[in-house]
Amino acid sequence: MGEFDLIARFFQRPAHPAGPQVALGVGDDCALLQPAPGTQLAISCDMLVEGRHFLPDVDPATLGHKALAVNLSDLAACGARPLAFTLALALPAANEAWLAGFARGLFALADAHGCELIGGDTTQGPLNICITVFGEVPVVNGKRQALLRSGAQPGDDLYVSGMPGQARLALEALQGTRSLPADVLPPLRARLEMPTPRVALGLALRGVASAAIDVSDGLLGDLGHILQASACGATVDTAIAINSIAADADSTRPEVQFLMQLPVEQRLALVLAGGDDYELLFTAPVAARAAVQAAALASATPVTRIGHIETAQGLRLIDAQGQPVSGRFASFDHFA
Ligand code: ADP
Ligand code: MG
């Protein structure tokens, strides 16, 4: 199978019911995008490298899902609606079963978000997947609606979606540094290998959140990016972070029960420093609390208020009594 057969068989699909913004897809020298009037294009690129971002034996369908999911997560953090993506693929060999699985996982997620594959590049080489996504965000009355890292204001509340830490727990199990009960690994593994990009939440937070980022490297580390860009500090209530987040999840699920019985320090480390969950971390004015709850409801995404933004630079962790949590957690505090 040659390069062009491979593209035609696995990645070129008959004209697809994407929006009118995709004026020309796969097959020519360039794709053509026609952003709707009054919108900006949001563009993001993420590369997945074997051994670094995924294990060599990972199921190709889950890999196809994740390669796009991590990119859609960036659009979500920006409040952008997905339009289209390109796929640059280096493959050691044209393995048909692998390609079919990869394309299945990729297009299932793409179709769920109405995001069309419009082009790419295919070459022989060590397995490497690079996707660029294009989304659109309106400009209303000359005001940019995109959510940025730099918009947090002192006094704003700090929120996180979902239940971070699950992907990290799965990774530890797969790497053999932790053993998990048989009924706990599969749901956690799905969190690691098939993350849900929070696109609906990101869209619902437009005009509500003051700043946002997706959590790929760990909650505190990514919070550091918001603080740096917004030139302010924050206090995170660790008791809320580890208790309320789980309270939002279905407590009968075995993985939630397992997480909740871990020692507090381990739970904190998972929630605050675990990466790869692709949840949204965002800030919003206190006056927007009802609007944040409405956005969570509208997008069917659990959201927990875990702290607030302050003028004083740095990151402070407090416990249920309001006392500073330090010492053993100092290593998470990269940006203080
Ligand atoms: P060029 O040589 O002009 O860069 P190519 O021959 O590499 O174009 O690709 C031919 C067409 O197939 C282009 O429209 C390109 O965008 C598309 N394409 C190549 N690889 C992929 C891929 N992995 N997925 C989707 N489209 C692809
Ligand atoms: Mg080319």
Side-chain angles (χ1 to χ4, degrees), residues 115-165:
C115 190
E116 187 173 342
L117 178 59
I118 55 167
D121 200 20
T122 307
T123 171
Q124 198 272 330
L127 185 56
N128 186 317
I129 304 154
C130 185
I131 287 181
T132 300
V133 275
F134 302 84
E136 73 181 9
V137 210
V139 177
V140 178
N141 296 328
K143 193 168 178 294
R144 179 173 54 202
Q145 298 289 295
L147 304 174
L148 306 185
R149 298 177 178 187
S150 54
Q153 298 284 338
D156 282 356
D157 293 319
L158 175 69
Y159 300 85
V160 70
S161 68
M163 190 178 180

Short mmCIF file of all heavy atoms in Angstrom, two decimals, residues 115-165:
data_model
loop_
_atom_site.label_atom_id
_atom_site.label_comp_id
_atom_site.label_asym_id
_atom_site.label_seq_id
_atom_site.Cartn_x
_atom_site.Cartn_y
_atom_site.Cartn_z
N CYS A 115 -16.04 17.85 13.84
CA CYS A 115 -14.72 18.39 13.52
C CYS A 115 -14.14 17.56 12.37
O CYS A 115 -13.92 16.36 12.51
CB CYS A 115 -13.85 18.29 14.78
SG CYS A 115 -12.28 19.15 14.69
N GLU A 116 -13.91 18.20 11.23
CA GLU A 116 -13.57 17.44 10.03
C GLU A 116 -12.06 17.39 9.76
O GLU A 116 -11.37 18.41 9.90
CB GLU A 116 -14.27 18.06 8.81
CG GLU A 116 -14.08 17.20 7.57
CD GLU A 116 -14.90 17.69 6.39
OE1 GLU A 116 -15.85 18.47 6.61
OE2 GLU A 116 -14.60 17.30 5.26
N LEU A 117 -11.57 16.21 9.36
CA LEU A 117 -10.17 16.08 8.95
C LEU A 117 -10.02 16.72 7.58
O LEU A 117 -10.64 16.27 6.61
CB LEU A 117 -9.77 14.60 8.91
CG LEU A 117 -8.34 14.30 8.46
CD1 LEU A 117 -7.31 14.97 9.36
CD2 LEU A 117 -8.08 12.80 8.42
N ILE A 118 -9.21 17.75 7.47
CA ILE A 118 -9.12 18.52 6.21
C ILE A 118 -7.77 18.39 5.53
O ILE A 118 -7.58 18.97 4.45
CB ILE A 118 -9.43 20.01 6.44
CG1 ILE A 118 -8.52 20.59 7.53
CG2 ILE A 118 -10.90 20.22 6.78
CD1 ILE A 118 -8.54 22.10 7.59
N GLY A 119 -6.84 17.64 6.12
CA GLY A 119 -5.55 17.50 5.45
C GLY A 119 -4.51 16.95 6.40
O GLY A 119 -4.83 16.61 7.54
N GLY A 120 -3.30 16.83 5.91
CA GLY A 120 -2.25 16.32 6.76
C GLY A 120 -1.02 15.98 5.98
O GLY A 120 -0.80 16.47 4.87
N ASP A 121 -0.22 15.11 6.56
CA ASP A 121 0.97 14.63 5.89
C ASP A 121 1.25 13.23 6.40
O ASP A 121 0.95 12.92 7.57
CB ASP A 121 2.16 15.57 6.17
CG ASP A 121 3.26 15.41 5.13
OD1 ASP A 121 2.98 14.88 4.03
OD2 ASP A 121 4.40 15.81 5.42
N THR A 122 1.77 12.36 5.54
CA THR A 122 2.00 10.98 5.92
C THR A 122 3.41 10.59 5.49
O THR A 122 3.79 10.80 4.35
CB THR A 122 0.97 10.06 5.23
OG1 THR A 122 -0.34 10.55 5.50
CG2 THR A 122 1.08 8.63 5.76
N THR A 123 4.16 10.03 6.44
CA THR A 123 5.53 9.67 6.12
C THR A 123 5.94 8.43 6.90
O THR A 123 5.30 8.09 7.90
CB THR A 123 6.49 10.85 6.43
OG1 THR A 123 7.83 10.41 6.31
CG2 THR A 123 6.30 11.38 7.82
N GLN A 124 6.96 7.76 6.43
CA GLN A 124 7.47 6.59 7.13
C GLN A 124 8.45 7.07 8.19
O GLN A 124 9.23 8.00 7.95
CB GLN A 124 8.16 5.66 6.12
CG GLN A 124 8.35 4.23 6.59
CD GLN A 124 9.67 4.05 7.35
OE1 GLN A 124 10.64 4.73 7.08
NE2 GLN A 124 9.69 3.14 8.30
N GLY A 125 8.37 6.48 9.39
CA GLY A 125 9.28 6.88 10.46
C GLY A 125 8.78 6.36 11.79
O GLY A 125 7.74 5.70 11.84
N PRO A 126 9.50 6.65 12.87
CA PRO A 126 9.03 6.21 14.20
C PRO A 126 7.65 6.81 14.49
O PRO A 126 7.42 7.97 14.14
CB PRO A 126 10.08 6.79 15.17
CG PRO A 126 11.24 7.19 14.33
CD PRO A 126 10.73 7.43 12.93
N LEU A 127 6.76 6.01 15.09
CA LEU A 127 5.37 6.42 15.29
C LEU A 127 5.27 7.77 16.00
O LEU A 127 5.78 7.96 17.10
CB LEU A 127 4.63 5.35 16.10
CG LEU A 127 3.13 5.58 16.28
CD1 LEU A 127 2.45 5.75 14.93
CD2 LEU A 127 2.51 4.44 17.05
N ASN A 128 4.60 8.69 15.34
CA ASN A 128 4.50 10.06 15.82
C ASN A 128 3.23 10.65 15.22
O ASN A 128 2.99 10.52 14.03
CB ASN A 128 5.75 10.81 15.31
CG ASN A 128 5.84 12.21 15.87
OD1 ASN A 128 4.85 12.93 15.94
ND2 ASN A 128 7.03 12.59 16.27
N ILE A 129 2.40 11.26 16.06
CA ILE A 129 1.10 11.76 15.61
C ILE A 129 1.01 13.22 15.97
O ILE A 129 1.10 13.57 17.14
CB ILE A 129 -0.03 11.00 16.33
CG1 ILE A 129 0.10 9.50 16.10
CG2 ILE A 129 -1.40 11.50 15.86
CD1 ILE A 129 -0.53 8.68 17.21
N CYS A 130 0.84 14.05 14.97
CA CYS A 130 0.76 15.49 15.24
C CYS A 130 -0.52 16.04 14.65
O CYS A 130 -0.74 15.96 13.44
CB CYS A 130 1.98 16.20 14.66
SG CYS A 130 2.02 17.93 15.08
N ILE A 131 -1.39 16.56 15.50
CA ILE A 131 -2.67 17.09 15.05
C ILE A 131 -2.72 18.59 15.30
O ILE A 131 -2.27 19.06 16.34
CB ILE A 131 -3.83 16.37 15.77
CG1 ILE A 131 -3.96 14.94 15.21
CG2 ILE A 131 -5.15 17.14 15.62
CD1 ILE A 131 -5.09 14.13 15.82
N THR A 132 -3.24 19.32 14.32
CA THR A 132 -3.53 20.74 14.52
C THR A 132 -5.04 20.91 14.40
O THR A 132 -5.63 20.45 13.43
CB THR A 132 -2.82 21.61 13.46
OG1 THR A 132 -1.41 21.40 13.58
CG2 THR A 132 -3.12 23.09 13.67
N VAL A 133 -5.63 21.53 15.41
CA VAL A 133 -7.08 21.76 15.35
C VAL A 133 -7.37 23.23 15.09
O VAL A 133 -6.61 24.11 15.49
CB VAL A 133 -7.82 21.40 16.68
CG1 VAL A 133 -8.17 19.96 16.77
CG2 VAL A 133 -7.08 21.90 17.88
N PHE A 134 -8.52 23.44 14.43
CA PHE A 134 -9.00 24.78 14.15
C PHE A 134 -10.41 24.90 14.72
O PHE A 134 -11.25 24.03 14.50
CB PHE A 134 -9.05 25.04 12.64
CG PHE A 134 -7.71 24.86 11.97
CD1 PHE A 134 -7.28 23.59 11.59
CD2 PHE A 134 -6.87 25.94 11.77
CE1 PHE A 134 -6.03 23.41 11.01
CE2 PHE A 134 -5.62 25.77 11.19
CZ PHE A 134 -5.20 24.51 10.81
N GLY A 135 -10.62 25.97 15.48
CA GLY A 135 -11.94 26.21 16.03
C GLY A 135 -12.32 27.65 15.80
O GLY A 135 -11.50 28.43 15.31
N GLU A 136 -13.56 28.00 16.14
CA GLU A 136 -13.93 29.41 15.99
C GLU A 136 -14.54 29.95 17.27
O GLU A 136 -15.20 29.23 18.01
CB GLU A 136 -14.83 29.64 14.76
CG GLU A 136 -16.22 29.15 14.92
CD GLU A 136 -17.08 29.38 13.67
OE1 GLU A 136 -16.56 29.78 12.60
OE2 GLU A 136 -18.29 29.14 13.76
N VAL A 137 -14.23 31.21 17.52
CA VAL A 137 -14.75 31.92 18.70
C VAL A 137 -15.26 33.28 18.23
O VAL A 137 -14.55 33.98 17.52
CB VAL A 137 -13.67 32.21 19.75
CG1 VAL A 137 -14.27 32.24 21.14
CG2 VAL A 137 -12.52 31.23 19.67
N PRO A 138 -16.46 33.65 18.64
CA PRO A 138 -16.99 34.93 18.18
C PRO A 138 -16.28 36.13 18.80
O PRO A 138 -15.70 36.04 19.87
CB PRO A 138 -18.46 34.89 18.60
CG PRO A 138 -18.58 33.80 19.60
CD PRO A 138 -17.41 32.88 19.44
N VAL A 139 -16.38 37.23 18.09
CA VAL A 139 -16.02 38.53 18.64
C VAL A 139 -17.35 39.28 18.72
O VAL A 139 -18.04 39.41 17.71
CB VAL A 139 -15.05 39.28 17.70
CG1 VAL A 139 -14.74 40.67 18.25
CG2 VAL A 139 -13.78 38.47 17.52
N VAL A 140 -17.74 39.71 19.92
CA VAL A 140 -19.05 40.36 20.09
C VAL A 140 -18.82 41.83 20.44
O VAL A 140 -18.16 42.13 21.43
CB VAL A 140 -19.88 39.66 21.19
CG1 VAL A 140 -21.22 40.38 21.38
CG2 VAL A 140 -20.13 38.20 20.82
N ASN A 141 -19.39 42.71 19.63
CA ASN A 141 -19.21 44.15 19.82
C ASN A 141 -17.74 44.51 19.97
O ASN A 141 -17.34 45.25 20.87
CB ASN A 141 -19.97 44.65 21.07
CG ASN A 141 -21.48 44.47 20.89
OD1 ASN A 141 -21.97 44.56 19.76
ND2 ASN A 141 -22.18 44.19 21.97
N GLY A 142 -16.92 43.91 19.12
CA GLY A 142 -15.49 44.21 19.15
C GLY A 142 -14.76 43.55 20.30
O GLY A 142 -13.56 43.73 20.48
N LYS A 143 -15.47 42.76 21.11
CA LYS A 143 -14.84 42.14 22.28
C LYS A 143 -14.60 40.65 22.02
O LYS A 143 -15.51 39.91 21.68
CB LYS A 143 -15.75 42.31 23.51
CG LYS A 143 -15.05 41.98 24.81
CD LYS A 143 -15.89 42.45 26.01
CE LYS A 143 -15.22 42.08 27.32
NZ LYS A 143 -15.12 40.65 27.56
N ARG A 144 -13.36 40.24 22.19
CA ARG A 144 -12.97 38.86 21.98
C ARG A 144 -13.62 37.96 23.03
O ARG A 144 -13.54 38.21 24.23
CB ARG A 144 -11.44 38.80 22.12
CG ARG A 144 -10.83 37.46 21.95
CD ARG A 144 -9.32 37.57 21.95
NE ARG A 144 -8.83 38.26 23.15
CZ ARG A 144 -7.67 38.88 23.22
NH1 ARG A 144 -6.87 38.92 22.21
NH2 ARG A 144 -7.30 39.46 24.35
N GLN A 145 -14.28 36.88 22.58
CA GLN A 145 -14.95 35.97 23.51
C GLN A 145 -14.05 34.81 23.94
O GLN A 145 -14.41 34.05 24.84
CB GLN A 145 -16.22 35.39 22.86
CG GLN A 145 -17.25 36.45 22.50
CD GLN A 145 -17.91 37.03 23.72
OE1 GLN A 145 -18.62 36.34 24.44
NE2 GLN A 145 -17.65 38.31 23.99
N ALA A 146 -12.92 34.64 23.28
CA ALA A 146 -12.02 33.53 23.63
C ALA A 146 -11.59 33.64 25.08
O ALA A 146 -11.31 34.74 25.57
CB ALA A 146 -10.80 33.55 22.71
N LEU A 147 -11.54 32.50 25.78
CA LEU A 147 -11.06 32.47 27.15
C LEU A 147 -9.53 32.38 27.12
O LEU A 147 -8.98 31.53 26.43
CB LEU A 147 -11.64 31.25 27.89
CG LEU A 147 -13.17 31.16 27.88
CD1 LEU A 147 -13.60 29.83 28.51
CD2 LEU A 147 -13.77 32.34 28.62
N LEU A 148 -8.88 33.24 27.86
CA LEU A 148 -7.42 33.26 27.88
C LEU A 148 -6.91 32.92 29.28
O LEU A 148 -7.66 32.96 30.25
CB LEU A 148 -6.89 34.65 27.49
CG LEU A 148 -7.39 35.22 26.17
CD1 LEU A 148 -6.66 36.53 25.87
CD2 LEU A 148 -7.18 34.24 25.02
N ARG A 149 -5.63 32.63 29.37
CA ARG A 149 -5.02 32.38 30.68
C ARG A 149 -4.87 33.66 31.48
O ARG A 149 -4.72 33.63 32.69
CB ARG A 149 -3.64 31.74 30.49
CG ARG A 149 -3.68 30.40 29.79
CD ARG A 149 -2.29 29.86 29.56
NE ARG A 149 -2.36 28.55 28.91
CZ ARG A 149 -1.30 27.78 28.70
NH1 ARG A 149 -0.09 28.19 29.09
NH2 ARG A 149 -1.45 26.61 28.13
N SER A 150 -4.89 34.77 30.79
CA SER A 150 -4.46 36.03 31.40
C SER A 150 -5.58 36.84 32.03
O SER A 150 -5.34 37.95 32.49
CB SER A 150 -3.77 36.88 30.34
OG SER A 150 -4.62 37.04 29.22
N GLY A 151 -6.82 36.30 32.07
CA GLY A 151 -7.94 37.14 32.51
C GLY A 151 -8.31 37.06 33.97
O GLY A 151 -9.26 37.72 34.40
N ALA A 152 -7.57 36.27 34.78
CA ALA A 152 -7.97 36.12 36.19
C ALA A 152 -7.76 37.42 36.95
O ALA A 152 -6.77 38.12 36.74
CB ALA A 152 -7.19 34.99 36.84
N GLN A 153 -8.72 37.76 37.85
CA GLN A 153 -8.65 38.98 38.65
C GLN A 153 -8.68 38.61 40.12
O GLN A 153 -9.38 37.68 40.51
CB GLN A 153 -9.89 39.85 38.36
CG GLN A 153 -10.03 40.33 36.95
CD GLN A 153 -9.07 41.48 36.65
OE1 GLN A 153 -8.61 42.17 37.56
NE2 GLN A 153 -8.73 41.66 35.37
N PRO A 154 -7.94 39.37 40.97
CA PRO A 154 -8.03 39.14 42.41
C PRO A 154 -9.50 39.14 42.86
O PRO A 154 -10.27 39.99 42.40
CB PRO A 154 -7.26 40.32 43.00
CG PRO A 154 -6.29 40.71 41.93
CD PRO A 154 -6.99 40.45 40.63
N GLY A 155 -9.86 38.19 43.70
CA GLY A 155 -11.24 38.06 44.15
C GLY A 155 -12.03 37.02 43.38
O GLY A 155 -13.03 36.51 43.87
N ASP A 156 -11.58 36.68 42.17
CA ASP A 156 -12.27 35.65 41.38
C ASP A 156 -12.25 34.30 42.10
O ASP A 156 -11.30 33.99 42.84
CB ASP A 156 -11.59 35.45 40.02
CG ASP A 156 -11.93 36.54 39.01
OD1 ASP A 156 -12.75 37.43 39.34
OD2 ASP A 156 -11.36 36.50 37.90
N ASP A 157 -13.27 33.51 41.86
CA ASP A 157 -13.28 32.12 42.32
C ASP A 157 -12.45 31.26 41.36
O ASP A 157 -12.31 31.59 40.18
CB ASP A 157 -14.71 31.57 42.33
CG ASP A 157 -15.60 32.24 43.36
OD1 ASP A 157 -15.12 32.49 44.48
OD2 ASP A 157 -16.77 32.51 43.04
N LEU A 158 -11.97 30.14 41.90
CA LEU A 158 -11.20 29.18 41.09
C LEU A 158 -11.97 27.86 41.06
O LEU A 158 -12.41 27.37 42.11
CB LEU A 158 -9.82 28.98 41.73
CG LEU A 158 -8.91 27.93 41.09
CD1 LEU A 158 -8.45 28.39 39.71
CD2 LEU A 158 -7.70 27.68 41.98
N TYR A 159 -12.15 27.32 39.87
CA TYR A 159 -12.92 26.08 39.71
C TYR A 159 -12.14 25.04 38.91
O TYR A 159 -11.30 25.39 38.09
CB TYR A 159 -14.19 26.33 38.90
CG TYR A 159 -15.17 27.31 39.47
CD1 TYR A 159 -15.03 28.68 39.23
CD2 TYR A 159 -16.29 26.88 40.19
CE1 TYR A 159 -15.97 29.59 39.72
CE2 TYR A 159 -17.22 27.78 40.67
CZ TYR A 159 -17.06 29.14 40.44
OH TYR A 159 -17.98 30.03 40.92
N VAL A 160 -12.49 23.77 39.13
CA VAL A 160 -11.98 22.72 38.25
C VAL A 160 -13.14 21.80 37.88
O VAL A 160 -14.07 21.61 38.67
CB VAL A 160 -10.82 21.93 38.91
CG1 VAL A 160 -11.31 21.07 40.07
CG2 VAL A 160 -10.09 21.07 37.88
N SER A 161 -13.12 21.26 36.68
CA SER A 161 -14.16 20.33 36.25
C SER A 161 -13.76 18.90 36.61
O SER A 161 -12.58 18.60 36.80
CB SER A 161 -14.40 20.45 34.74
OG SER A 161 -13.27 19.98 34.02
N GLY A 162 -14.76 18.04 36.70
CA GLY A 162 -14.52 16.61 36.84
C GLY A 162 -13.74 16.23 38.09
O GLY A 162 -13.79 16.92 39.11
N MET A 163 -13.01 15.15 38.00
CA MET A 163 -12.32 14.59 39.15
C MET A 163 -10.88 14.27 38.74
O MET A 163 -10.57 13.13 38.37
CB MET A 163 -13.04 13.33 39.59
CG MET A 163 -12.58 12.79 40.91
SD MET A 163 -13.60 11.35 41.31
CE MET A 163 -12.86 10.91 42.87
N PRO A 164 -9.99 15.27 38.77
CA PRO A 164 -8.62 15.04 38.34
C PRO A 164 -7.91 14.03 39.23
O PRO A 164 -8.25 13.88 40.40
CB PRO A 164 -7.96 16.41 38.44
CG PRO A 164 -8.96 17.36 38.96
CD PRO A 164 -10.24 16.64 39.23
N GLY A 165 -6.91 13.36 38.69
CA GLY A 165 -6.14 12.39 39.45
C GLY A 165 -6.34 10.97 38.96
O GLY A 165 -5.52 10.09 39.23
#
